[in-house]
Amino acid sequence: MKIWISLFLFVLTASVSAQGRNFDDVEYVTTDLGHGIFMLEGSGGNIGVSIGEDGVFLIDDQFAQLSEKLLAVITELSDQPLRFVINTHWHGDHVGGNANMAKEGAIIMAHDNVRARMSAPGRRQSPEDALPVMTFSDTNTYHLNGHKIHAFHVHRAHTDGDAIIHFEDVNIIHAGDILFNGTYPFIDLNSGGSVDGYIAALERLLAIADEETVIIAGHGPLASKKDVQASLKMIRSAKSKVAALVKEGKTLEQVQAADPLAALHAEWAWSFITGERFTEILYTDLSD
């Protein structure tokens, strides 16, 4: 339980702790995906950018403290105005720059549950000018910069408000935190996420991808269909191992002591989602 509480507190205080961080040394890395679409890596969730005659369309905007740097990069990419931002979910490393982007004239968009969670009373309540002003319940389609962009909701996956953004005509996808490329994912059970929903979301991602699809992961390097398949295989295996011990009536402490995911840690564990933490996420969800 101690580790699970620490996970909850990490998410709860993400925007608060960012206030004390030093972002001075963060430099954006820009990857040109073609067709006027770019991936930006800074600090936090990976950003997608579409540029063209209709203006700049941004997918996520990281932390507020990085907005000046982010806007400088956008200015280098295009002389058109920033018109739209779509959030893939509500976590602070993806929506922290919303208010600053809105001040630049951007319309903020997201799933219904993103606005609901950002506006809920409590420690992490967002200011009014950071909230999405256009929301959708299931799907939305945008025709911008010559592209057909399909945004669709995946239910109870990383959170309860995740959206995958698909540039259908050019075979490019921004998966948000449905994909942590090459690492254990964070499944935020306290924000409506679930293990089965996360697996279903990866399956849906695979259903629209082919061998040529370029995928911007929420975290990690640029991905392909093979990377999604590897992540899905790992999570299914991890779930099966933990579920077997849950079925035996083992406690969390007993499951962690048994370390059922030991063979996976070397490849998938990282500083935030260690093997012990991922085991707890799986146990907590599967034992409910």
PDB file of all heavy atoms in Angstrom, residues 62-81:
ATOM      1  N   GLN A  62       2.884  19.955 -22.507  1.00  0.00           N
ATOM      2  CA  GLN A  62       3.843  19.794 -21.404  1.00  0.00           C
ATOM      3  C   GLN A  62       3.589  20.764 -20.245  1.00  0.00           C
ATOM      4  O   GLN A  62       2.455  21.112 -19.951  1.00  0.00           O
ATOM      5  CB  GLN A  62       5.267  19.851 -21.942  1.00  0.00           C
ATOM      6  CG  GLN A  62       5.567  18.692 -22.888  1.00  0.00           C
ATOM      7  CD  GLN A  62       7.011  18.505 -23.242  1.00  0.00           C
ATOM      8  OE1 GLN A  62       7.863  19.374 -23.053  1.00  0.00           O
ATOM      9  NE2 GLN A  62       7.328  17.339 -23.794  1.00  0.00           N
ATOM     10  N   PHE A  63       4.662  21.202 -19.584  1.00  0.00           N
ATOM     11  CA  PHE A  63       4.536  22.031 -18.377  1.00  0.00           C
ATOM     12  C   PHE A  63       4.473  23.518 -18.719  1.00  0.00           C
ATOM     13  O   PHE A  63       5.074  23.976 -19.701  1.00  0.00           O
ATOM     14  CB  PHE A  63       5.722  21.793 -17.444  1.00  0.00           C
ATOM     15  CG  PHE A  63       5.807  20.398 -16.896  1.00  0.00           C
ATOM     16  CD1 PHE A  63       6.752  19.497 -17.381  1.00  0.00           C
ATOM     17  CD2 PHE A  63       4.947  19.979 -15.892  1.00  0.00           C
ATOM     18  CE1 PHE A  63       6.846  18.213 -16.864  1.00  0.00           C
ATOM     19  CE2 PHE A  63       5.026  18.685 -15.369  1.00  0.00           C
ATOM     20  CZ  PHE A  63       5.980  17.802 -15.860  1.00  0.00           C
ATOM     21  N   ALA A  64       3.791  24.277 -17.871  1.00  0.00           N
ATOM     22  CA  ALA A  64       3.661  25.727 -18.091  1.00  0.00           C
ATOM     23  C   ALA A  64       5.025  26.413 -18.154  1.00  0.00           C
ATOM     24  O   ALA A  64       5.224  27.364 -18.920  1.00  0.00           O
ATOM     25  CB  ALA A  64       2.816  26.343 -16.981  1.00  0.00           C
ATOM     26  N   GLN A  65       5.973  25.921 -17.359  1.00  0.00           N
ATOM     27  CA  GLN A  65       7.297  26.550 -17.305  1.00  0.00           C
ATOM     28  C   GLN A  65       8.062  26.410 -18.617  1.00  0.00           C
ATOM     29  O   GLN A  65       9.067  27.090 -18.835  1.00  0.00           O
ATOM     30  CB  GLN A  65       8.124  25.945 -16.160  1.00  0.00           C
ATOM     31  CG  GLN A  65       7.551  26.214 -14.781  1.00  0.00           C
ATOM     32  CD  GLN A  65       6.548  25.150 -14.354  1.00  0.00           C
ATOM     33  OE1 GLN A  65       5.952  24.464 -15.172  1.00  0.00           O
ATOM     34  NE2 GLN A  65       6.356  25.016 -13.054  1.00  0.00           N
ATOM     35  N   LEU A  66       7.589  25.534 -19.499  1.00  0.00           N
ATOM     36  CA  LEU A  66       8.259  25.325 -20.788  1.00  0.00           C
ATOM     37  C   LEU A  66       7.560  26.046 -21.940  1.00  0.00           C
ATOM     38  O   LEU A  66       8.013  25.957 -23.081  1.00  0.00           O
ATOM     39  CB  LEU A  66       8.338  23.825 -21.100  1.00  0.00           C
ATOM     40  CG  LEU A  66       9.309  23.018 -20.242  1.00  0.00           C
ATOM     41  CD1 LEU A  66       9.123  21.523 -20.483  1.00  0.00           C
ATOM     42  CD2 LEU A  66      10.745  23.425 -20.527  1.00  0.00           C
ATOM     43  N   SER A  67       6.476  26.746 -21.643  1.00  0.00           N
ATOM     44  CA  SER A  67       5.670  27.328 -22.721  1.00  0.00           C
ATOM     45  C   SER A  67       6.455  28.302 -23.589  1.00  0.00           C
ATOM     46  O   SER A  67       6.301  28.324 -24.815  1.00  0.00           O
ATOM     47  CB  SER A  67       4.442  28.030 -22.135  1.00  0.00           C
ATOM     48  OG  SER A  67       3.547  27.107 -21.573  1.00  0.00           O
ATOM     49  N   GLU A  68       7.290  29.118 -22.988  1.00  0.00           N
ATOM     50  CA  GLU A  68       8.063  30.083 -23.773  1.00  0.00           C
ATOM     51  C   GLU A  68       8.979  29.362 -24.760  1.00  0.00           C
ATOM     52  O   GLU A  68       9.076  29.747 -25.936  1.00  0.00           O
ATOM     53  CB  GLU A  68       8.879  30.982 -22.842  1.00  0.00           C
ATOM     54  CG  GLU A  68       9.627  32.091 -23.570  1.00  0.00           C
ATOM     55  CD  GLU A  68      10.347  33.045 -22.627  1.00  0.00           C
ATOM     56  OE1 GLU A  68      10.070  33.002 -21.409  1.00  0.00           O
ATOM     57  OE2 GLU A  68      11.192  33.823 -23.109  1.00  0.00           O
ATOM     58  N   LYS A  69       9.635  28.318 -24.294  1.00  0.00           N
ATOM     59  CA  LYS A  69      10.505  27.544 -25.182  1.00  0.00           C
ATOM     60  C   LYS A  69       9.697  26.833 -26.260  1.00  0.00           C
ATOM     61  O   LYS A  69      10.105  26.772 -27.422  1.00  0.00           O
ATOM     62  CB  LYS A  69      11.317  26.532 -24.380  1.00  0.00           C
ATOM     63  CG  LYS A  69      12.376  27.137 -23.481  1.00  0.00           C
ATOM     64  CD  LYS A  69      13.185  26.051 -22.788  1.00  0.00           C
ATOM     65  CE  LYS A  69      14.298  26.663 -21.937  1.00  0.00           C
ATOM     66  NZ  LYS A  69      15.139  25.625 -21.292  1.00  0.00           N
ATOM     67  N   LEU A  70       8.556  26.286 -25.856  1.00  0.00           N
ATOM     68  CA  LEU A  70       7.705  25.587 -26.812  1.00  0.00           C
ATOM     69  C   LEU A  70       7.217  26.531 -27.901  1.00  0.00           C
ATOM     70  O   LEU A  70       7.255  26.201 -29.093  1.00  0.00           O
ATOM     71  CB  LEU A  70       6.522  24.944 -26.088  1.00  0.00           C
ATOM     72  CG  LEU A  70       5.458  24.271 -26.948  1.00  0.00           C
ATOM     73  CD1 LEU A  70       6.066  23.183 -27.824  1.00  0.00           C
ATOM     74  CD2 LEU A  70       4.348  23.697 -26.062  1.00  0.00           C
ATOM     75  N   LEU A  71       6.765  27.701 -27.510  1.00  0.00           N
ATOM     76  CA  LEU A  71       6.281  28.672 -28.487  1.00  0.00           C
ATOM     77  C   LEU A  71       7.402  29.134 -29.410  1.00  0.00           C
ATOM     78  O   LEU A  71       7.170  29.387 -30.603  1.00  0.00           O
ATOM     79  CB  LEU A  71       5.655  29.863 -27.763  1.00  0.00           C
ATOM     80  CG  LEU A  71       4.323  29.564 -27.063  1.00  0.00           C
ATOM     81  CD1 LEU A  71       3.939  30.707 -26.128  1.00  0.00           C
ATOM     82  CD2 LEU A  71       3.213  29.326 -28.091  1.00  0.00           C
ATOM     83  N   ALA A  72       8.620  29.207 -28.894  1.00  0.00           N
ATOM     84  CA  ALA A  72       9.754  29.585 -29.737  1.00  0.00           C
ATOM     85  C   ALA A  72      10.012  28.531 -30.805  1.00  0.00           C
ATOM     86  O   ALA A  72      10.303  28.853 -31.967  1.00  0.00           O
ATOM     87  CB  ALA A  72      11.002  29.786 -28.876  1.00  0.00           C
ATOM     88  N   VAL A  73       9.892  27.266 -30.429  1.00  0.00           N
ATOM     89  CA  VAL A  73      10.071  26.179 -31.394  1.00  0.00           C
ATOM     90  C   VAL A  73       8.973  26.225 -32.445  1.00  0.00           C
ATOM     91  O   VAL A  73       9.230  26.069 -33.650  1.00  0.00           O
ATOM     92  CB  VAL A  73      10.081  24.811 -30.685  1.00  0.00           C
ATOM     93  CG1 VAL A  73      10.086  23.675 -31.714  1.00  0.00           C
ATOM     94  CG2 VAL A  73      11.289  24.688 -29.775  1.00  0.00           C
ATOM     95  N   ILE A  74       7.743  26.447 -32.007  1.00  0.00           N
ATOM     96  CA  ILE A  74       6.625  26.530 -32.951  1.00  0.00           C
ATOM     97  C   ILE A  74       6.849  27.674 -33.942  1.00  0.00           C
ATOM     98  O   ILE A  74       6.589  27.531 -35.139  1.00  0.00           O
ATOM     99  CB  ILE A  74       5.298  26.719 -32.178  1.00  0.00           C
ATOM    100  CG1 ILE A  74       4.962  25.438 -31.397  1.00  0.00           C
ATOM    101  CG2 ILE A  74       4.163  27.077 -33.122  1.00  0.00           C
ATOM    102  CD1 ILE A  74       3.789  25.587 -30.459  1.00  0.00           C
ATOM    103  N   THR A  75       7.343  28.798 -33.456  1.00  0.00           N
ATOM    104  CA  THR A  75       7.608  29.941 -34.328  1.00  0.00           C
ATOM    105  C   THR A  75       8.671  29.610 -35.373  1.00  0.00           C
ATOM    106  O   THR A  75       8.609  30.075 -36.518  1.00  0.00           O
ATOM    107  CB  THR A  75       8.061  31.149 -33.485  1.00  0.00           C
ATOM    108  OG1 THR A  75       7.014  31.491 -32.583  1.00  0.00           O
ATOM    109  CG2 THR A  75       8.363  32.351 -34.366  1.00  0.00           C
ATOM    110  N   GLU A  76       9.648  28.784 -34.989  1.00  0.00           N
ATOM    111  CA  GLU A  76      10.667  28.356 -35.942  1.00  0.00           C
ATOM    112  C   GLU A  76      10.080  27.439 -37.016  1.00  0.00           C
ATOM    113  O   GLU A  76      10.536  27.450 -38.162  1.00  0.00           O
ATOM    114  CB  GLU A  76      11.794  27.628 -35.215  1.00  0.00           C
ATOM    115  CG  GLU A  76      12.634  28.523 -34.315  1.00  0.00           C
ATOM    116  CD  GLU A  76      13.681  27.737 -33.551  1.00  0.00           C
ATOM    117  OE1 GLU A  76      13.738  26.492 -33.735  1.00  0.00           O
ATOM    118  OE2 GLU A  76      14.433  28.346 -32.776  1.00  0.00           O
ATOM    119  N   LEU A  77       9.076  26.680 -36.646  1.00  0.00           N
ATOM    120  CA  LEU A  77       8.478  25.733 -37.589  1.00  0.00           C
ATOM    121  C   LEU A  77       7.485  26.399 -38.536  1.00  0.00           C
ATOM    122  O   LEU A  77       7.321  25.955 -39.679  1.00  0.00           O
ATOM    123  CB  LEU A  77       7.763  24.615 -36.825  1.00  0.00           C
ATOM    124  CG  LEU A  77       8.629  23.674 -35.984  1.00  0.00           C
ATOM    125  CD1 LEU A  77       7.749  22.697 -35.210  1.00  0.00           C
ATOM    126  CD2 LEU A  77       9.611  22.910 -36.870  1.00  0.00           C
ATOM    127  N   SER A  78       6.797  27.447 -38.074  1.00  0.00           N
ATOM    128  CA  SER A  78       5.725  28.040 -38.873  1.00  0.00           C
ATOM    129  C   SER A  78       5.521  29.505 -38.518  1.00  0.00           C
ATOM    130  O   SER A  78       5.669  29.899 -37.354  1.00  0.00           O
ATOM    131  CB  SER A  78       4.416  27.270 -38.621  1.00  0.00           C
ATOM    132  OG  SER A  78       3.322  27.874 -39.280  1.00  0.00           O
ATOM    133  N   ASP A  79       5.166  30.276 -39.536  1.00  0.00           N
ATOM    134  CA  ASP A  79       4.800  31.673 -39.272  1.00  0.00           C
ATOM    135  C   ASP A  79       3.294  31.839 -39.130  1.00  0.00           C
ATOM    136  O   ASP A  79       2.788  32.953 -39.017  1.00  0.00           O
ATOM    137  CB  ASP A  79       5.331  32.585 -40.381  1.00  0.00           C
ATOM    138  CG  ASP A  79       4.795  32.216 -41.767  1.00  0.00           C
ATOM    139  OD1 ASP A  79       3.975  31.267 -41.875  1.00  0.00           O
ATOM    140  OD2 ASP A  79       5.205  32.867 -42.750  1.00  0.00           O
ATOM    141  N   GLN A  80       2.570  30.711 -39.113  1.00  0.00           N
ATOM    142  CA  GLN A  80       1.124  30.740 -38.927  1.00  0.00           C
ATOM    143  C   GLN A  80       0.789  30.760 -37.435  1.00  0.00           C
ATOM    144  O   GLN A  80       1.574  30.310 -36.599  1.00  0.00           O
ATOM    145  CB  GLN A  80       0.481  29.510 -39.589  1.00  0.00           C
ATOM    146  CG  GLN A  80       0.647  29.470 -41.098  1.00  0.00           C
ATOM    147  CD  GLN A  80      -0.051  30.628 -41.778  1.00  0.00           C
ATOM    148  OE1 GLN A  80      -1.203  30.933 -41.482  1.00  0.00           O
ATOM    149  NE2 GLN A  80       0.664  31.291 -42.692  1.00  0.00           N
ATOM    150  N   PRO A  81      -0.375  31.261 -37.071  1.00  0.00           N
ATOM    151  CA  PRO A  81      -0.746  31.331 -35.643  1.00  0.00           C
ATOM    152  C   PRO A  81      -1.061  29.967 -35.050  1.00  0.00           C
ATOM    153  O   PRO A  81      -1.461  29.037 -35.758  1.00  0.00           O
ATOM    154  CB  PRO A  81      -1.998  32.218 -35.654  1.00  0.00           C
ATOM    155  CG  PRO A  81      -2.584  32.019 -37.016  1.00  0.00           C
ATOM    156  CD  PRO A  81      -1.412  31.846 -37.948  1.00  0.00           C
TER     157      PRO A  81
END
